């Protein structure tokens, strides 16, 4: 079953017909919110609000292991994660389907296999986002008729503060095009669980030093409002065109 993880601006999905809420408890604790099972465009889907519903958890406080394991236990077979990001080279208001990620976070639980009795596991993470799922997501974004960018590198920073202009300059020199705080360890945990994973990132503001004036929260909220409409259309299109089991 296709699963969606919603970030800032997407704690719920319009048009989702809810059948059941799974209040799961995993061996790593409880996820941020119950896993919602329902139908979107007539197709079965799962949904989880990454930061809780309502939004209460900062990026470094999210129990990513519990979130991913809860989705797996609820029947997820693939995951599309939505995030609000800053644009380093990507334009504000556009949707980005990244194909690479660089992890700048620290202190987060980034593996399921760090217990004393767990096996020693190293997963191949050369290409962190599933190619086939990205192909389907591209078609869905095209159908949503939203401005978008195919490919790009997501810089995962620790937060919760935003970056300095100097840090953004370094991230750009490293080859990043967008910056967010939730991409890792979410992506690698999905890989450890064998779940195809792709991102749909909405650029809500220019990154630090990339605008010639101060960006206000009102402007960001407006971009979130307008851009998430395109995200919802894309998710609905993706759900309606799931491959046969």
């Amino acid at each position: 079953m296709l699963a969606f993880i919603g970030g800032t601006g997407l704690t719920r999905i319009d048009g989702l017909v809810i059948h059941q809420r799974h209040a799961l408890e995993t061996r790593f604790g409880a996820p941020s919110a119950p896993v919602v099972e329902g139908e979107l465009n007539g197709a079965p889907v799962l949904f989880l609000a990454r930061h809780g519903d309502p939004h209460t958890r900062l990026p470094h406080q999210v129990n990513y292991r519990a979130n991913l394991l809860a989705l797996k236990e609820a029947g997820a077979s693939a995951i599309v994660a939505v995030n609000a990001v800053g644009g380093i080279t990507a334009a504000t208001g556009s949707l980005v389907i990244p194909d690479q990620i660089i992890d700048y976070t620290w202190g987060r639980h980034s593996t399921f296999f760090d217990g004393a009795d767990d096996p020693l596991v190293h997963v191949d993470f050369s290409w962190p986002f599933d190619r086939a799922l990205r192909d389907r997501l591209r078609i869905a974004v095209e159908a949503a008729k939203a401005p978008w960018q195919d490919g790009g590198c997501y810089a995962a920073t620790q937060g919760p503060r935003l970056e300095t202009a100097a840090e953004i300059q370094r991230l750009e020199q490293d080859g990043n095009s967008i910056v967010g705080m939730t991409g890792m360890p979410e992506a690698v945990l999905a890989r450890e669980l064998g779940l195809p994973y792709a991102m749909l990132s909405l650029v809500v503001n220019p990154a630090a030093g990339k605008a010639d004036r101060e960006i206000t929260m009102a402007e960001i909220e407006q971009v979130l409002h307008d851009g998430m409409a395109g995200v919802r259309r894309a998710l609905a299109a993706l759900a309606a065109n799931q491959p046969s089991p």
Side-chain angles (χ1 to χ4, degrees), residues 50 59 64 68 81-85 101-103 105 108 125 128-129 154-157 179-190 197 199 201:
R50 181 188 290 116
Y64 294 95
L68 271 293
V82 176
N83 8 57
V85 300
I101 194 166
I102 299 178
D103 188 7
T105 67
R108 301 185 183 190
F125 204 53
F129 304 112
Y154 177 113
T157 59
V179 56
M181 302 174 189
T182 58
M184 290 292 286
E186 195 172 88
V188 72
L189 292 172
Y197 177 96
M199 273 186 189
S201 301

Side-chain angles (χ1 to χ4, degrees), residues 87-122:
I88 300 175
T89 60
T92 299
S94 63
L95 298 176
V96 180
I97 305 175
D99 58 359
Q100 274 296 336
I101 194 166
I102 299 178
D103 188 7
Y104 300 92
T105 67
W106 50 270
R108 301 185 183 190
H109 295 295
S110 59
T111 180
F112 290 109
F113 303 108
D114 58 357
D117 299 322
D118 291 328
L120 181 62
V121 175
H122 300 284

